[in-house]
Amino acid sequence: VDLSVTPEPTHSSALIGGKKPKVAILREQGVNSQYEMAAVFMRAGFEAVDVHMSDLFTGVDNLSGYQGIVACGGFSYGDVLGAGEGWAKTILFNSYMRDQFTNFFARSATFTLGVCNGCQMLSSLKELIPGTKHWPKFVRNTSEQFEARFSLVKVESSPSALLRGMQDSYMPIVISHGEGRAVFTNADDMKE
């Protein structure tokens, strides 16, 4: 591992108006990685809030008070094929939910992270997310099997708030998926 930064808990100077930025740790039926995700964001200086999709559907909570959302993974909907796409349809086919997510994505000072089924879900919401028309859809692996790999990844320069200051770092990343093949609409989208 060759990091260009030393990982440390976020200093209080990163707080917004003296308050920790709020991140919704978003989950759906079957998701099982929300505790680890919340722990990571709390260590990084955020106020991590467990938000189940049913909280958003019923109005118990909404996305307007959050600076970030993280769509977690880990077997949503029993990890059946297309589980992430099914999760997205619960948003796309419900006007209240669609408006809530559209408004969140339209705000300029927010970030979004999707992991596993959460990544698949977000890729299926690209019509709601500005600047994502070139994003791929994730489909079943060519091998038609679950695949797991250990990859060494170099962080390139990026405008991402989550990667700021990490360019030129090399990190080992575990990749585990049954539907990890990225399918682009055309070659230009893949190049982008």
Side-chain angles (χ1 to χ4, degrees):
V1 177
D2 179 18
L3 298 177
S4 62
V5 296
T6 302
E8 295 179 16
T10 301
H11 189 270
S12 60
S13 64
L15 302 180
I16 299 172
K19 297 173 73 176
K20 293 181 178 184
K22 282 177 68 174
V23 61
I25 307 298
L26 191 61
R27 62 188 175 94
E28 183 51 284
Q29 181 273 327
V31 164
N32 64 15
S33 62
Q34 71 273 14
Y35 297 117
E36 296 86 350
M37 191 64 74
V40 167
F41 274 90
M42 286 187 292
R43 180 167 172 118
F46 287 83
E47 178 185 345
V49 180
D50 178 37
V51 179
H52 194 280
M53 288 293 289
S54 62
D55 297 331
L56 300 178
F57 276 110
T58 60
V60 169
D61 202 348
N62 66 67
L63 299 177
S64 64
Y66 294 95
Q67 285 74 45
I69 58 173
V70 179
C72 293
F75 307 105
S76 69
Y77 295 110
D79 209 27
V80 297
L81 295 176
E85 192 170 334
W87 186 358
K89 288 178 181 174
T90 66
I91 297 163
L92 293 171
F93 297 159
N94 179 298
S95 60
Y96 174 71
M97 294 294 286
R98 184 183 184 94
D99 290 347
Q100 191 172 165
F101 277 82
T102 298
N103 291 337
F104 178 85
F105 295 135
R107 290 173 32 214
S108 62
T110 63
F111 70 91
T112 305
L113 171 65
V115 177
C116 193
N117 291 143
C119 176
Q120 293 170 339
M121 181 270 281
L122 289 170
S123 74
S124 295
L125 292 181
K126 69 182 185 179
E127 66 188 78
L128 306 181
I129 306 171
T132 61
K133 65 182 177 183
H134 61 276
W135 279 9
K137 178 178 180 179
F138 292 96
V139 300
R140 189 156 174 83
N141 297 332
T142 303
S143 67
E144 297 191 18
Q145 297 179 18
F146 179 86
E147 297 185 23
R149 294 190 179 96
F150 195 65
S151 301
L152 186 61
V153 174
K154 180 181 179 184
V155 178
E156 299 291 341
S157 180
S158 168
S160 170
L162 299 175
L163 299 175
R164 189 174 300 132
M166 295 177 64
Q167 63 270 9
D168 298 324
S169 292
Y170 288 89
M171 295 181 287
I173 304 291
V174 174
I175 301 169
S176 305
H177 52 77
E179 297 177 85
R181 183 166 49 105
V183 174
F184 293 87
T185 305
N186 55 53
D188 289 337
D189 283 352
M190 185 163 69
K191 182 180 177 186
E192 190 64 31

